[in-house]
Amino acid sequence: MEVYCEVQTEEGVLRGMLNRPNQKKYPLVVMLHGFTANRNGPRFAFVRLARLLEKQGIGSIRFDFLGSGESDLDFEEMTYMAECKQVIHILEEVKKLEDVSEIYLLGHSMGGAIAGNIAALFPDLIKKCCLWAPAFCMPALIGYMKQSGEVNEIEEGVYDCKGLRLSHRFVEEILNLDLLLHLEDYENPLMIIHGTKDETVPFESSKAYLNQYQRADVEFVEIPDGSHNYEVYQEISAVLENTVRFFTE
């Protein structure tokens, strides 16, 4: 069953969808979208994944972050730490659901970095974590975009980011964050999927985060010639197949 849901925060309303299998108890995956994206995921991947998981007896919930999609606020008000806070709020609400037996986490791109950071913060709560092209290198990416002119200041304190108003506060905050810190605190099952031809979050960045995890048991899945948003059928099929397998094992 797929139902619309809302979570009220102090800053505004998060709007999303809950997929609930027809059984008394089930694990639930919290899905986190990426920078400038929305709760549907790349190529509707989160919708497709949610429906595949539901058939396997696994629930899921996916929200638009505040400032994205249909949730409250404007994109200009978005920051990395604000989105981390929203995930914590979502987890608190999920913990109240009596039919949820375990909580899993999944994120794509910047949402993948947030998922990794949150899992490290709550290693006992998050029983499984899956990261798609996690942008732990986001500070370097934003720094490059700023330096190269990919984000141009259109007025004081505001940048044009592909047609969206990106705040100076977001840029300055992310440039001063080390998203790799404490990743090694997460010791539960972990899968990371990354395309070898990812031009947004370079595949080479996987070396840094894999080294930070300091674990031999991370299931690292390379998608040959895979892009950042899995724009070829074989790519997204491999991502979905591996993710379903991971969460159902």
Side-chain angles (χ1 to χ4, degrees), residues 151-160 168:
V151 290
N152 298 307
E153 193 167 28
I154 53 177
E155 59 186 74
E156 187 175 356
V158 180
Y159 297 92
D160 179 356
H168 177 78

Side-chain angles (χ1 to χ4, degrees), residues 31-49:
M31 302 181 183
L32 310 178
H33 69 74
F35 183 69
T36 74
N38 60 59
R39 67 178 184 251
N40 292 327
R43 298 298 182 272
F44 316 118
F46 285 2
V47 180
R48 297 158 73 179
L49 177 62

Side-chain angles (χ1 to χ4, degrees), residues 32-167:
L32 310 178
H33 69 74
F35 183 69
T36 74
N38 60 59
R39 67 178 184 251
N40 292 327
R43 298 298 182 272
F44 316 118
F46 285 2
V47 180
R48 297 158 73 179
L49 177 62
R51 293 171 181 173
L52 289 170
L53 290 173
E54 185 178 343
K55 292 177 182 178
Q56 299 295 324
I58 298 176
S60 63
I61 196 165
R62 58 190 190 277
F63 285 94
D64 293 321
F65 283 116
L66 293 177
S68 296
E70 296 181 315
S71 290
D72 283 356
L73 305 187
D74 295 321
F75 187 76
E76 185 177 349
E77 300 170 86
M78 177 273 306
T79 68
Y80 187 90
M81 294 307 297
E83 292 196 349
C84 288
K85 182 179 177 181
Q86 291 160 40
V87 177
I88 294 172
H89 201 107
I90 291 167
L91 291 175
E92 289 300 320
E93 294 301 312
V94 169
K95 285 164 60 178
K96 297 175 185 177
L97 300 176
E98 295 182 356
D99 47 356
V100 172
S101 58
E102 291 185 334
I103 299 175
Y104 304 156
L105 204 52
L106 176 142
H108 174 243
S109 194
M110 191 171 90
I114 292 173
N117 292 155
I118 294 297
L121 190 60
F122 300 100
D124 296 326
L125 176 64
I126 307 303
K127 300 305 182 182
K128 290 186 179 183
C129 185
C130 181
L131 311 178
W132 296 356
F136 293 115
C137 58
M138 197 73 184
L141 295 177
I142 293 296
Y144 173 79
M145 291 172 70
K146 181 181 177 183
Q147 191 173 40
S148 66
E150 285 189 41
V151 290
N152 298 307
E153 193 167 28
I154 53 177
E155 59 186 74
E156 187 175 356
V158 180
Y159 297 92
D160 179 356
C161 180
K162 301 179 181 179
L164 293 169
R165 292 169 63 90
L166 182 68
S167 72

Side-chain angles (χ1 to χ4, degrees), residues 2-7 13-18 39 70:
E2 189 172 70
V3 296
Y4 170 78
C5 55
E6 294 184 353
V7 168
V13 177
L14 292 160
R15 296 181 173 87
M17 300 298 293
L18 170 67
R39 67 178 184 251
E70 296 181 315

